[in-house]
Amino acid sequence: MIILTQEICVLKGASKTEKYKTLIPQLNSLVGFEKDQIANLSNIIAALKMAMNYFWVGCYFVKGNDLVLGPFQGFVACTRIKKGRGVCGKAFEDNQIIVVDNVDNFPGHIACSSESKSEIVLPARTRLGEVFMVLDVDSDKLSDFDDVDRKYLSQVITIIESLYN
Ligand code: SME
C-alpha cells in the first residue's frame, strides 16, 4: 500500500533503507520552493514522522548555552536543555552524532516520555562547523537506530544545513 499525502509518497512495508531512499529526494523537492526556514523545517519533521513512523522527531535550536525546542512531531517535550545535559545537550557539547540503544543506560538522559527506549541525536552545523541545532529522534523500542539511520539522517541534516547556511 502506498501512503500518499499532498507531497510525500513512501511504500508502506518497504525496508528502512528503501523508505529513506524514497523520502530524501522528496524532501529536497518539498523545501525547494519555500524560503521560510521554520516552514521548511516543520515540513521536514512532519515528512520524517509520517514516512518513518518515528515515535518522536524534532529539533532543538542552540541559543547561547541552551537548546530550545523547535518544530517537532509527537508527545509534549521539554522546551529547554542545558549544553552537556541529556543526549541532546551532549550531542551539542561534543558536536557528534549520538546513538543510544537503551536510554536508561545513558547518564543524565532526559525522559520527555517514559515510553522512549532508544534515541539518535544529530548536530546541524554552520559553515564554520559550529552546532546551531540538533535533530532528535526517539523510539519506543530498544536499539532501534543503527548505521542506516546515521547515514540517511545525516543526509537530512545536510538538507537542513542548506536551509540555514
Ligand atoms: N531525550 C532527550 C530530551 C528531548 S525529549 O526526548 C524530546 C535528551 O536526553 O536530551
Side-chain angles (χ1 to χ4, degrees):
M1 182 181 86
I2 290 184
I3 304 172
L4 197 59
T5 68
Q6 181 193 355
E7 298 285 344
I8 298 295
C9 171
V10 292
L11 189 59
K12 195 171 175 60
S15 70
K16 182 157 67 169
T17 297
E18 284 310 307
K19 283 183 180 177
Y20 276 128
K21 281 181 170 178
T22 306
L23 175 66
I24 288 170
Q26 296 180 70
L27 294 182
N28 279 305
S29 317
L30 195 61
V31 303
F33 302 99
E34 175 55 56
K35 63 183 182 306
D36 186 89
Q37 294 162 331
I38 294 299
N40 282 327
L41 190 54
S42 300
N43 263 341
I44 288 172
I45 298 292
L48 282 168
K49 181 78 163 74
M50 189 277 293
M52 306 307 297
N53 196 29
Y54 294 137
F55 182 60
W56 190 94
V57 51
C59 58
Y60 283 85
F61 287 102
V62 171
K63 297 197 177 182
N65 262 341
D66 289 352
L67 290 171
V68 179
L69 184 64
F72 72 94
Q73 297 261 324
F75 50 78
V76 170
C78 58
T79 56
R80 203 170 276 267
I81 299 173
K82 284 284 179 217
K83 189 172 188 177
R85 287 208 53 226
V87 187
C88 294
K90 194 71 180 134
F92 169 23
E93 183 175 64
D94 296 352
N95 195 343
Q96 293 282 343
I97 297 172
I98 298 180
V99 177
V100 181
D101 287 335
N102 182 342
V103 297
D104 291 339
N105 298 337
F106 188 90
H109 170 256
I110 300 167
C112 296
S113 164
S114 57
E115 292 179 64
S116 291
K117 297 286 181 270
S118 57
E119 189 163 359
I120 183 170
V121 180
L122 304 94
R125 302 168 180 102
T126 66
R127 284 198 185 93
L128 299 176
E130 292 164 355
V131 182
F132 69 88
M133 175 213 286
V134 297
L135 177 68
D136 179 21
V137 187
D138 284 33
S139 172
D140 54 356
K141 302 173 192 71
L142 289 169
S143 306
D144 207 17
F145 302 105
D146 55 22
D147 287 344
V148 171
D149 301 287
R150 274 178 181 269
K151 174 181 178 181
Y152 289 104
L153 286 174
S154 294
Q155 292 179 18
V156 176
I157 287 288
T158 300
I159 296 171
I160 292 172
E161 289 171 341
S162 72
L163 301 177
Y164 285 84
N165 282 311

